[in-house]
Amino acid sequence: MLYCCVRNVCKLKPSPCRVTLALQHTRRLCSSPPGEAVDQVRTLLELCVDRHYVSPGQPNTELLQRGMSCCYGPLGMELRRNLLQQWWLSVTGSTQQVFGINTLSSSKGTATDGLRIVESEQLKHILGQKELSNQQLLQKIQTLIQRSPSLRTGFLQGALEQFVPSLELVNRKLPFGLAETGLCFQPSDGSAEVTQASLVWFCPPRTSSQWLDHWNRQRLKWWRKFSLSPSDFSSSDVPEEELEEAASRGVRILYRFPWGQEPVETLWSRGSTELLHTHNGVRAKLQCRDGRKSVPHVISVTGNMDRGVMAFLSNSLQQLKKEDSKKKMLQRKVLKLHPVLAPIKVALDIGRGATVELRQVCDGLLQEFIEANISTWPGYLQTMPTSMEQLNTKYDEMGVLFTVVINENTLESGLVLVRSRDTTIKETKHISEIKSFLSTYISAADNL
Amino acid sequence: MLYCCVRNVCKLKPSPCRVTLALQHTRRLCSSPPGEAVDQVRTLLELCVDRHYVSPGQPNTELLQRGMSCCYGPLGMELRRNLLQQWWLSVTGSTQQVFGINTLSSSKGTATDGLRIVESEQLKHILGQKELSNQQLLQKIQTLIQRSPSLRTGFLQGALEQFVPSLELVNRKLPFGLAETGLCFQPSDGSAEVTQASLVWFCPPRTSSQWLDHWNRQRLKWWRKFSLSPSDFSSSDVPEEELEEAASRGVRILYRFPWGQEPVETLWSRGSTELLHTHNGVRAKLQCRDGRKSVPHVISVTGNMDRGVMAFLSNSLQQLKKEDSKKKMLQRKVLKLHPVLAPIKVALDIGRGATVELRQVCDGLLQEFIEANISTWPGYLQTMPTSMEQLNTKYDEMGVLFTVVINENTLESGLVLVRSRDTTIKETKHISEIKSFLSTYISAADNL
């Protein structure tokens, strides 16, 4: 239904269809074999729009493909939320000392380039001063822009500034880290937003190389943990000619998209230059108690969580051939997202039987699932009649882990049908044990 | 220690101390009695900086007092995170149909005012074109700014745009809502960031007034749930002369700060004008199946989560008189944050005994708590010798719910001392039961 709607929008507007645009972008990026990759990407993007991962009506899919933040639908929003939550837990919940911080996304710095926030009212006010010469107006505008706050492109600078107040937390002992997640802004092509997750790690100079290796291993392991085909994630050293100015070594964690490899997380070993510069070279403020009184080295770990969403969507889409009830061969599309990442864990639907009573049972189960923080799709609230087959197709494409169907049998015996996305097997379970079954299943998958 | 550091920074810099600045601001805001309120606020702000809720070194406390986002330290960051999480659960986890979405924080709209993101490189490029006349340069600059993306001031517009793609989710049935949280930007005084939490609720026109009342009750109940003195939160109708242009009715949820009442959440009944305008007046696209085919009315619920952080910090600080071991009267300061909001649930420390073995026991407990998602302060990693009394003072000011002390006795009997922040009572418990004790305590407080 939504799909038709997207198509109609495309027909109505004189501009080319958004999906087409995104595909053209794919073609540009594609290495080989282009045809197959384009098909793969087209299928994925259509499914993402269809199943409320990505919102239609804007060049959204193109943004997402470029590793930028886009308008997410409810499922995409929840997927990114889960991904950020897992990143956070893995980085701050390790036994390493990592503290979360929050810095401002704009600052009145002395930087001369980058993105500036300009109040258009102020500009209008300047331009309205008819008594001034054009030369004076230009000067006033330059001053306005120089004094305007600039938007951050990353979290590094904020963490470097917070290093000194954080020293007391750790009693001046190294190593420790500062973590932050949120929006950053990139000055490419107008402006573009990226959801970044950042760890800035402060360690003794002599162990900085080992720490880079440590975090590289940890992060790669993390990406692979949620992946259906872990080998699509790899890590590789940044060639010397691509090193950032301050960095002595760099590693990228890459994901193999249908159109080629792209970095999902980047690690730099940055030495102490930027830290010293941020604190005006006052070494005494920065020295730590690690035997020698040295200024720490900095390792930055920066993940692009929007590209991460795209990577896991791309990684989890399986297309399987299956026979329908009329022996016709069909493509079955399943979004096999990891149980921890899947935005919806269970869908609740009703089969045959007295609707009012069945709905009451569903209401009770829904409440129980909500209280246990199990994200639930209340399919039974939809009044549109749908066959079980259509429902399964829909939920498979949404990546819903389990479908629970309540029918007249439930009212007598307390038994319900539970269908698994991954095995397609339907099991009969007692209604009282579903909640703990789901919780156990999800946490088991988490601890694998 | 940090406190001294803040003082030193103040001495070094020619500018007035940040805390002083913030207090001047308080004085301006204060109604009565000014002296007492200023003292109260000073104590709170000093504690916030001391105990890593707010970062020093920037006019942070003033930002927070004005209801703006600021640089948070690890504890403040975690408090806001918990607050946002609870807001989200209460709004999306109700049995009402609320979907989370994510829209972009900047958009290339046709708006003529507000904040614009301008690339300073592009501006420099224009100004560098020596062959152009000043008049031409001014025109080019105007065009650049008109074409620059504008930053959002709230989530309403994004939700209105997402209304149509969301209709399929609910099978065109009202009511339902779209929720989003994140940064918004306010064009006051340069630019300022606010962490907002937004629910945009679409309902049949004839029930919009009841729905406004419903959400008002729900939201007020929510704020009071986490409050030590619930009556400090109240709600009041917005007087007619202060209504927003599109709104027919408004309600504010207010918190009584020492310097006066300020809104923490605002609800507007907005009719359908803005929704129609967003979709170019095409009623057919917007009509829902609620008996009559009507265009829904919109209710917006917008919380300021930064002011919420300040409200709960202010609400939870208790100052009690107590005798120290030398019979001297002291002020005991306790940050009695609600167990669900408290950024740190438990601190782990060691008493007398063989340090290496005691640390191993702590490492084990820390790991266990981390796995159970219980936020833990690993006090035993600090190598500075401190008396138990000093530790208790510190943890009370941090708002840590429980302190667990492992000593030589633990190695033999498995027994540990657990001190409660709220009762100051020390209980002996077996090490194996602490995790479930903590989990039960926190979830019981949640369900009260």
Side-chain angles (χ1 to χ4, degrees):
Chain A
M1 190 179 165
L2 179 69
Y3 186 46
C4 309
C5 162
V6 178
R7 286 283 158 94
N8 286 337
V9 169
C10 297
K11 272 183 215 151
L12 287 173
K13 286 194 181 170
S15 65
C17 168
R18 301 307 181 189
V19 172
T20 314
L21 272 179
L23 286 169
Q24 284 166 358
H25 174 70
T26 313
R27 265 185 222 112
R28 257 179 287 130
L29 287 169
C30 265
S31 39
S32 71
E36 199 182 314
V38 169
D39 274 355
Q40 248 177 297
V41 177
R42 179 202 298 270
T43 307
L44 177 65
L45 294 180
E46 285 178 356
L47 182 138
C48 286
V49 172
D50 256 20
R51 297 309 176 194
H52 305 285
Y53 278 90
V54 184
S55 170
Q58 274 181 301
N60 260 324
T61 44
E62 196 187 336
L63 280 175
L64 195 59
Q65 269 194 285
R66 281 167 48 208
M68 304 290 175
S69 191
C70 71
C71 269
Y72 290 100
L75 273 74
M77 189 265 153
E78 197 67 24
L79 171 58
R80 196 186 61 178
R81 199 178 153 80
N82 291 341
L83 197 63
L84 278 165
Q85 168 78 354
Q86 289 302 317
W87 189 95
W88 191 257
L89 285 176
S90 88
V91 168
T92 67
S94 72
T95 43
Q96 305 299 342
Q97 294 244 73
V98 177
F99 302 96
I101 54 168
N102 178 80
T103 60
L104 293 174
S105 63
S106 61
S107 61
K108 291 197 180 175
T110 47
T112 50
D113 49 4
L115 300 169
R116 298 285 175 147
I117 306 180
V118 178
E119 218 169 312
S120 41
E121 294 302 306
Q122 288 187 3
L123 194 80
K124 265 190 229 155
H125 176 75
I126 292 175
L127 291 171
Q129 293 173 307
K130 301 288 176 213
E131 69 280 11
L132 297 181
S133 72
N134 285 341
Q135 181 61 34
Q136 285 171 316
L137 287 178
L138 281 175
Q139 265 174 0
K140 283 212 160 207
I141 291 172
Q142 265 186 297
T143 314
L144 171 70
I145 296 199
Q146 272 162 15
R147 289 194 184 154
S148 298
S150 50
L151 278 169
R152 69 175 163 215
T153 54
F155 292 111
L156 177 68
Q157 192 52 39
L160 294 179
E161 284 164 17
Q162 292 306 310
F163 172 76
V164 171
S166 307
L167 273 177
E168 199 224 5
L169 280 168
V170 292
N171 198 14
R172 293 200 163 257
K173 253 178 73 186
L174 295 179
F176 74 96
L178 297 174
E180 185 167 7
T181 62
L183 276 187
C184 293
F185 296 83
Q186 293 189 346
S188 69
D189 191 13
S191 93
E193 309 167 21
V194 190
T195 312
Q196 288 192 3
S198 150
L199 166 68
V200 177
W201 185 249
F202 303 97
C203 62
R206 66 199 143 76
T207 53
S208 68
S209 194
Q210 285 103 294
W211 278 114
L212 182 66
D213 294 332
H214 166 86
W215 285 113
N216 178 24
R217 278 195 307 275
Q218 291 293 318
R219 301 307 308 141
L220 182 60
K221 206 170 100 185
W222 182 85
W223 287 99
R224 288 183 165 169
K225 174 181 172 182
F226 303 107
S227 177
L228 210 58
S229 50
S231 61
D232 283 346
F233 286 97
S234 62
S235 95
S236 88
D237 275 17
V238 177
E240 201 145 329
E241 62 274 18
E242 293 173 30
L243 284 181
E244 278 192 11
E245 203 185 328
S248 63
R249 234 185 99 201
V251 185
R252 291 198 185 104
I253 297 177
L254 304 160
Y255 177 73
R256 197 191 301 130
F257 285 99
W259 60 83
Q261 289 199 322
E262 305 232 30
V264 285
E265 199 152 4
T266 312
L267 299 90
W268 299 107
S269 177
R270 330 187 64 105
S272 56
T273 322
E274 292 154 316
L275 183 62
L276 273 162
H277 183 255
T278 304
H279 297 281
N280 306 316
V282 186
R283 302 181 77 90
K285 277 205 312 196
L286 308 175
Q287 280 166 353
C288 294
R289 307 186 298 128
D290 70 314
R292 321 158 198 205
K293 277 204 169 179
S294 49
V295 173
H297 275 198
V298 174
I299 286 169
S300 68
V301 181
T302 311
N304 178 335
M305 293 293 114
D306 293 305
R307 188 170 278 149
V309 164
M310 186 64 186
F312 283 115
L313 283 170
S314 173
N315 192 267
S316 62
L317 179 61
Q318 281 199 345
Q319 301 193 58
L320 308 161
K321 291 218 159 64
K322 68 155 195 176
E323 269 184 6
D324 74 352
S325 49
K326 287 161 195 154
K327 301 266 174 190
K328 228 175 84 183
M329 285 305 282
L330 289 176
Q331 276 268 340
R332 183 180 161 238
K333 282 174 279 185
V334 193
L335 210 52
K336 287 201 171 173
L337 285 164
H338 188 278
V340 167
L341 296 185
I344 296 164
K345 314 300 183 197
V346 57
L348 267 179
D349 273 283
I350 49 179
R352 279 160 190 242
T355 315
V356 178
E357 284 80 0
L358 293 182
R359 277 176 175 252
Q360 282 174 348
V361 177
C362 283
D363 283 341
L365 262 186
L366 177 63
Q367 195 58 45
E368 202 182 323
F369 292 168
I370 285 172
E371 276 163 21
N373 279 334
I374 298 169
S375 157
T376 309
W377 189 258
Y380 68 99
L381 293 178
Q382 296 242 352
T383 45
M384 211 136 61
T386 334
S387 75
M388 220 50 237
E389 208 157 323
Q390 283 173 305
L391 269 185
N392 288 339
T393 303
K394 175 175 151 186
Y395 292 144
D396 282 347
E397 292 183 12
M398 286 165 75
V400 176
L401 284 180
F402 293 99
T403 310
V404 171
V405 180
I406 316 281
N407 55 30
E408 52 191 0
N409 192 21
T410 313
L411 298 177
E412 286 165 29
S413 61
L415 295 178
V416 299
L417 273 180
V418 182
R419 176 187 179 272
S420 153
R421 172 196 76 183
D422 296 338
T423 63
T424 73
I425 290 171
K426 289 174 193 138
E427 278 186 275
T428 305
K429 287 193 186 297
H430 195 269
I431 196 165
S432 62
E433 51 180 35
I434 300 179
K435 190 187 80 181
S436 83
F437 165 73
L438 291 172
S439 299
T440 314
Y441 183 92
I442 298 162
S443 65
D446 191 16
N447 296 326
L448 268 190
Chain B
M1 189 181 169
L2 180 68
Y3 187 45
C4 309
C5 162
V6 179
R7 286 284 158 93
N8 286 337
V9 169
C10 297
K11 272 183 216 151
L12 286 173
K13 285 194 183 172
S15 65
C17 168
R18 300 307 180 191
V19 172
T20 315
L21 272 179
L23 286 170
Q24 284 166 359
H25 174 71
T26 313
R27 266 186 221 113
R28 255 179 288 130
L29 287 169
C30 265
S31 40
S32 71
E36 199 182 314
V38 169
D39 275 356
Q40 247 177 298
V41 177
R42 180 203 296 270
T43 308
L44 177 66
L45 294 180
E46 285 178 356
L47 182 138
C48 286
V49 172
D50 256 19
R51 297 308 175 195
H52 305 286
Y53 278 89
V54 184
S55 170
Q58 275 181 300
N60 260 323
T61 44
E62 197 188 335
L63 280 175
L64 195 58
Q65 269 195 285
R66 281 167 49 209
M68 303 290 174
S69 191
C70 71
C71 269
Y72 290 100
L75 272 74
M77 189 264 154
E78 197 67 23
L79 171 58
R80 196 185 62 178
R81 200 179 152 79
N82 291 342
L83 197 62
L84 278 166
Q85 168 78 353
Q86 290 302 317
W87 189 95
W88 191 258
L89 285 178
S90 87
V91 168
T92 67
S94 72
T95 43
Q96 305 298 343
Q97 294 244 73
V98 177
F99 303 95
I101 54 169
N102 178 80
T103 60
L104 293 174
S105 64
S106 61
S107 61
K108 292 197 180 175
T110 47
T112 51
D113 49 4
L115 299 169
R116 299 284 175 148
I117 306 180
V118 178
E119 218 168 312
S120 42
E121 294 302 306
Q122 287 188 4
L123 194 80
K124 266 190 229 156
H125 176 74
I126 292 174
L127 292 170
Q129 292 174 308
K130 300 288 175 212
E131 70 280 12
L132 297 181
S133 72
N134 285 341
Q135 181 61 33
Q136 285 171 315
L137 287 178
L138 282 175
Q139 266 175 359
K140 283 211 161 207
I141 290 171
Q142 266 186 295
T143 315
L144 171 70
I145 295 198
Q146 272 162 14
R147 289 193 184 155
S148 298
S150 52
L151 279 169
R152 68 175 163 215
T153 54
F155 291 112
L156 176 68
Q157 193 51 40
L160 295 179
E161 284 163 17
Q162 292 307 310
F163 172 76
V164 170
S166 307
L167 274 177
E168 198 224 6
L169 281 167
V170 292
N171 198 14
R172 292 199 162 258
K173 252 178 73 187
L174 295 179
F176 73 96
L178 297 175
E180 185 166 7
T181 62
L183 276 187
C184 294
F185 297 82
Q186 292 189 346
S188 69
D189 191 14
S191 93
E193 309 167 21
V194 190
T195 313
Q196 289 192 3
S198 150
L199 167 68
V200 178
W201 185 250
F202 303 95
C203 62
R206 68 199 141 76
T207 52
S208 68
S209 193
Q210 285 104 294
W211 278 114
L212 182 66
D213 294 333
H214 167 86
W215 285 113
N216 178 25
R217 277 194 307 276
Q218 292 293 317
R219 300 308 308 141
L220 182 60
K221 206 169 101 185
W222 182 85
W223 286 100
R224 288 183 166 169
K225 174 181 172 183
F226 302 108
S227 176
L228 211 57
S229 50
S231 61
D232 283 345
F233 286 98
S234 61
S235 95
S236 87
D237 275 17
V238 177
E240 201 145 330
E241 61 274 20
E242 292 174 31
L243 283 181
E244 278 192 11
E245 203 186 328
S248 62
R249 233 185 100 201
V251 185
R252 291 198 184 105
I253 296 177
L254 304 161
Y255 177 74
R256 198 190 302 131
F257 284 99
W259 59 83
Q261 289 199 324
E262 304 232 30
V264 285
E265 199 152 4
T266 312
L267 299 89
W268 299 108
S269 178
R270 329 187 64 103
S272 56
T273 322
E274 292 154 316
L275 183 62
L276 272 163
H277 182 256
T278 304
H279 296 281
N280 307 316
V282 186
R283 303 180 78 89
K285 278 205 312 197
L286 308 174
Q287 280 166 353
C288 294
R289 307 187 298 128
D290 69 313
R292 321 159 198 203
K293 276 204 169 179
S294 49
V295 173
H297 275 198
V298 174
I299 287 169
S300 68
V301 181
T302 311
N304 178 335
M305 293 293 114
D306 293 304
R307 187 170 279 149
V309 164
M310 186 65 187
F312 283 115
L313 283 170
S314 173
N315 191 266
S316 62
L317 179 61
Q318 280 200 345
Q319 300 193 59
L320 308 160
K321 293 218 158 63
K322 68 154 195 177
E323 269 184 7
D324 74 352
S325 49
K326 287 160 197 154
K327 301 265 173 193
K328 227 175 83 182
M329 285 304 282
L330 289 177
Q331 277 267 341
R332 183 180 161 239
K333 281 173 280 184
V334 193
L335 210 53
K336 288 201 172 175
L337 285 164
H338 188 279
V340 167
L341 295 186
I344 295 164
K345 314 299 184 198
V346 58
L348 267 178
D349 272 284
I350 50 180
R352 279 162 189 240
T355 315
V356 178
E357 285 80 0
L358 293 181
R359 277 175 175 253
Q360 282 174 347
V361 177
C362 284
D363 284 340
L365 262 186
L366 177 62
Q367 195 57 47
E368 203 182 321
F369 292 167
I370 286 173
E371 276 162 21
N373 280 334
I374 298 170
S375 157
T376 309
W377 188 259
Y380 69 98
L381 293 178
Q382 297 242 352
T383 46
M384 212 135 64
T386 335
S387 75
M388 220 52 235
E389 208 158 322
Q390 282 173 306
L391 268 186
N392 287 340
T393 303
K394 175 175 150 186
Y395 292 145
D396 282 347
E397 292 184 12
M398 287 165 75
V400 176
L401 285 180
F402 292 98
T403 309
V404 172
V405 179
I406 316 281
N407 55 30
E408 51 191 0
N409 191 22
T410 314
L411 298 177
E412 285 165 29
S413 61
L415 295 177
V416 299
L417 273 180
V418 182
R419 175 187 180 271
S420 154
R421 172 196 74 184
D422 295 339
T423 63
T424 73
I425 289 171
K426 289 174 194 138
E427 277 186 275
T428 305
K429 287 194 187 294
H430 195 269
I431 196 166
S432 62
E433 50 180 35
I434 300 178
K435 191 187 78 181
S436 82
F437 165 74
L438 292 172
S439 300
T440 313
Y441 183 92
I442 298 161
S443 65
D446 190 17
N447 296 326
L448 269 190

